Amino acid sequence: MPDTTPEQRLKQLGIVLPTPAVPVANYVAAVISGSSLVVSGQLPLVDGKLLTTGKLGDSVAVELAIEAARYSMVNVIAQVKAAIGDLSRVKRVVRLGGFIACTPDFTQHAAVMNGASDLAVAVFGDAGRHARSTVGVPSLPLDSAVEVEGLFEIG
């Protein structure tokens, strides 16, 4: 894996990056400041549609939410590529933030967010190992079950 690029790893995983989603409000999808790249929260859009809506602990199964977190991370990576052109410029995935729409008694946030974290490591190797916060929230935009944001060190 060390001799392969992030783009090659995506291909090996069968992942084609989508056209990055356009912000739906008064913000930008990504900001570069010095050697930091911040990517705004991304939803699990697949072909322009949400993979799932609803809440964990109610209408959304953990397995589906893990897949949604993975798709959210695919969309984060698409924003990174749009911002810097070459994913090999990512020196480190510094931090991921995960938001899980859930009922008050839901407690499997970490398992859900592993969908995004596992993909970060699969694509970026050791540079994909990151700090992380994952929180449960009462709702997310468009009734999405999951949202993922990221902070990257770039060169």
Side-chain angles (χ1 to χ4, degrees):
M1 183 142 96
D3 294 342
T4 59
T5 67
E7 279 91 353
Q8 290 169 328
R9 291 183 202 125
L10 283 167
K11 188 174 181 178
Q12 290 167 355
L13 293 166
I15 296 172
V16 175
L17 293 178
T19 301
V22 176
V24 297
N26 189 17
Y27 64 94
V28 294
V31 171
I32 296 173
S33 180
S35 63
S36 295
L37 168 64
V38 179
V39 176
S40 295
Q42 300 295 303
L43 302 178
L45 296 170
V46 180
D47 297 325
K49 297 180 182 170
L50 282 173
L51 178 65
T52 185
T53 59
K55 291 183 176 36
L56 280 289
D58 183 24
S59 61
V60 179
V62 170
E63 295 75 20
L64 181 57
I66 292 169
E67 187 177 354
R70 186 175 196 271
Y71 274 104
S72 293
M73 188 63 195
V74 167
N75 292 320
V76 167
I77 295 168
Q79 294 290 358
V80 170
K81 183 156 178 66
I84 64 172
D86 181 357
L87 293 177
S88 293
R89 289 185 57 201
V90 172
K91 290 184 172 185
R92 182 80 190 212
V93 179
V94 177
R95 179 187 178 279
L96 294 180
F99 305 92
I100 313 300
C102 60
T103 59
D105 60 339
F106 182 77
T107 60
Q108 293 179 280
H109 307 78
V112 170
M113 190 57 185
N114 279 345
S117 293
D118 292 348
L119 184 60
V121 173
V123 172
F124 296 104
D126 282 341
R129 298 192 184 284
H130 53 274
R132 180 175 95 178
S133 295
T134 306
V135 297
V137 296
S139 67
L140 288 168
L142 306 176
D143 196 30
S144 180
V146 177
E147 183 174 357
V148 175
E149 64 184 12
L151 172 62
F152 299 80
E153 179 186 0
I154 57 173

